[in-house]
Amino acid sequence: MPANFDQLIDRSGTSSLKWEKYKDKDTLPFWVADMDFKSAPEIIEALHQRIEHGIFGYTVADEGLEDLVVERMNNLYDWQIEKEWIVWLPGLVTALNLAVRSVAGEGEYVAAPVPVYYPFLTAPSLGGRRMVGLDWVLENGQWRLDLESFKTRLTDDTRLLSICNPQNPNGRVLTRSELEAIEAVCKEHNIVVCSDEVHCDLILDRNCEHIPYAGLSEFTRDNSITLMSPSKTFNVAGFGFAYAIIPNDKLRSNFQRVRKGIVPDPDNMLIGYTAAKAAYQHGEPWRQCLLDYLRGNHDYLLKEINSIEGLSMEPLEATYLAWINVSELGLKDPHGFFEEHGVGLSPGAQFGDKDYLRLNFGCSRELLEQGISRIKAAVESLPH
Ligand SMILES: Cc1ncc(COP(=O)(O)O)c(C=O)c1O
């Protein structure tokens, strides 16, 4: 069955976090990162079959799923991993926090790029660790990590650098040379990298390729925790399912020790396992159609946003999350302003930059067009 991404699907009454927020308001939700598309039909079919069985007890990942993960890393990302390195988890944010607590000691430093998906910013303080920022700077229309100023801020007790690649929210896909520059700093300062690569299957720019940090060298393999999940790509975030790939035995056992008794053991992710297996086994044609649709939405959005006076965005290399600069509008509360005009976006301040808003374009073109016309009307309503 070909996917129909144009179909407008009513999500009301499904307890959707995204849609419930504005349920009694005429506000279109373009905030939290899930998509308004049905998941791949092969996934839905596998879930039906599993549900039909009727017994939903404790479940382990089967070898078939482990093989699929190993094959996927090799086939898509030229990264050779071992099954034993995989740690199944109920979510990526959990994993980010476990990484912080298992690698850095209390009071020690954890680094993260800024702006970034906000749990990166909160994980250090939640765990009683301290944070040092690695800035994203915009240079000639390209976002770049400012490693030079980062080096001057690094303390002797900085243990972990958590990166997000592809990056949420600016959509960058780090190149090999950028990753090698990160590696060089980490090698010099003995820093482990936690690399959240959940958006790696969502590369929009055909000139970009996803390179797992851990696959660069022996050093990066032995000093990294890589986080992955089918949740964003296949729109199954509600199942709470992710995995870490941790090649180094010591890092892996520390990670497992911190998890013990607090984060559920990986035997209650039955639905996640079922969905992941179907996604990785049969989901590739659907993913390619999704990418085409998202590329179309992206190109439309880029053109429209940059034609509105006071707004600007750079082309995204990956993700369905646009990062829009609204500073020229001179608004005190840009998020509240657009909400009042019927558009629910994510406030940039949450990610570490109040001059921006994040717009999720994982939705039908029609909905996106409605959002754009509301954004235009909102901006036009401002005094010139
Ligand atoms: C980079 C990144 N990591 C993690 C998550 C959330 O993952 P989970 O729902 O598995 O905690 C998101 C969701 O937007 C994300 O963009």
Side-chain angles (χ1 to χ4, degrees):
M1 199 199 316
N4 179 6
F5 296 106
D6 274 328
Q7 193 188 356
L8 269 176
I9 301 170
D10 183 5
R11 294 181 70 183
S12 60
T14 66
S15 305
S16 150
L17 174 67
K18 192 184 196 178
W19 286 82
E20 282 296 299
K21 181 168 185 191
Y22 300 113
K23 75 173 173 190
D24 298 321
K25 301 196 177 87
D26 179 25
T27 300
L28 300 174
F30 297 100
W31 65 291
V32 68
D34 72 25
M35 302 187 284
D36 293 327
F37 307 130
K38 276 196 188 189
S39 189
E42 296 82 358
I43 298 177
I44 298 170
E45 178 52 31
L47 291 168
H48 275 303
Q49 278 186 21
R50 186 61 190 83
I51 295 295
E52 269 305 302
H53 185 257
I55 302 177
F56 310 122
Y58 295 116
T59 305
V60 293
D62 67 25
E63 235 178 85
L65 177 57
E66 290 175 340
D67 289 337
L68 283 165
V69 171
V70 171
E71 277 166 31
R72 187 173 188 84
M73 294 309 136
N74 186 37
N75 296 345
L76 293 187
Y77 306 118
D78 195 20
W79 180 29
Q80 289 74 45
I81 67 162
E82 314 268 334
K83 283 185 210 176
E84 293 67 37
W85 301 352
I86 304 170
V87 178
W88 304 108
L89 291 153
L92 293 147
V93 172
T94 304
L96 278 172
N97 284 274
L98 289 176
V100 163
R101 293 174 201 204
S102 64
V103 176
E106 269 182 53
E108 291 183 332
Y109 279 85
V110 172
V114 186
V116 72
Y117 177 56
Y118 56 91
F120 283 70
L121 305 174
T122 53
S125 61
L126 286 173
R129 277 68 175 164
R130 290 187 275 190
M131 189 185 140
V132 52
L134 161 56
D135 297 337
W136 279 105
V137 289
L138 189 58
E139 256 179 26
N140 305 322
Q142 171 90 323
W143 289 102
R144 175 182 85 66
L145 282 170
D146 187 358
L147 282 172
E148 288 313 309
S149 69
F150 179 60
K151 281 190 230 168
T152 65
R153 285 182 215 156
L154 272 179
T155 56
D156 287 344
D157 60 351
T158 302
R159 305 284 176 229
L160 181 77
L161 165 62
S162 297
I163 59 172
C164 185
N165 180 37
Q167 165 81 358
N168 169 9
N170 68 24
R172 274 300 319 282
V173 176
L174 293 172
T175 61
R176 186 172 297 278
S177 65
E178 286 174 309
L179 290 167
E180 282 171 353
I182 293 173
E183 177 192 4
V185 175
C186 292
K187 216 170 183 171
E188 193 181 332
H189 296 269
N190 205 14
I191 295 173
V192 172
V193 165
C194 175
S195 184
D196 180 339
E197 301 182 7
V198 67
H199 295 283
C200 68
D201 302 331
L202 295 168
I203 307 277
L204 304 179
D205 184 334
R206 294 177 199 274
N207 297 316
C208 294
E209 84 174 302
H210 175 68
I211 302 170
Y213 173 79
L216 286 184
S217 69
E218 220 169 285
F219 173 80
T220 63
R221 184 196 64 203
D222 291 340
N223 292 280
S224 62
I225 296 173
T226 303
L227 309 181
M228 298 262 184
S229 171
S231 58
K232 299 287 153 192
T233 313
F234 295 96
N235 213 25
V236 291
F239 292 156
F241 176 84
Y243 51 98
I245 301 172
I246 313 177
N248 180 312
D249 291 343
K250 189 152 179 272
L251 282 181
R252 195 168 61 255
S253 68
N254 281 345
F255 187 91
Q256 297 283 38
R257 186 177 42 76
V258 173
R259 165 205 194 125
K260 200 81 199 144
I262 297 174
V263 177
D265 283 336
D267 55 15
N268 51 12
M269 300 192 297
L270 158 62
I271 295 293
Y273 289 135
T274 308
K277 195 169 173 190
Y280 288 173
Q281 207 161 18
H282 306 295
E284 192 53 21
W286 184 90
R287 181 176 80 102
Q288 292 303 331
C289 295
L290 170 74
L291 285 175
D292 282 344
Y293 197 84
L294 291 177
R295 286 180 182 124
N297 272 3
H298 167 266
D299 295 351
Y300 163 77
L301 185 71
L302 181 70
K303 191 163 146 270
E304 292 294 329
I305 291 294
N306 285 329
S307 73
I308 301 172
E309 220 181 305
L311 302 189
S312 64
M313 72 177 262
E314 308 309 322
L316 299 165
E317 293 171 344
T319 80
Y320 49 79
L321 305 164
W323 191 230
I324 302 172
N325 189 331
V326 294
S327 59
E328 277 185 33
L329 297 179
L331 299 167
K332 245 204 192 128
D333 174 15
H335 173 253
F337 169 77
F338 283 102
E339 240 180 10
E340 273 169 29
H341 286 82
V343 196
L345 304 163
S346 299
Q350 200 175 40
F351 303 84
D353 194 335
K354 63 176 178 33
D355 286 343
Y356 285 77
L357 292 171
R358 195 190 73 174
L359 185 153
N360 172 350
F361 58 89
C363 62
S364 69
R365 179 66 65 80
E366 192 180 327
L367 195 77
L368 189 58
E369 285 171 1
Q370 285 176 29
I372 284 291
S373 68
R374 289 179 181 205
I375 290 173
K376 276 187 183 158
V379 174
E380 275 162 21
S381 75
L382 289 167
H384 293 290

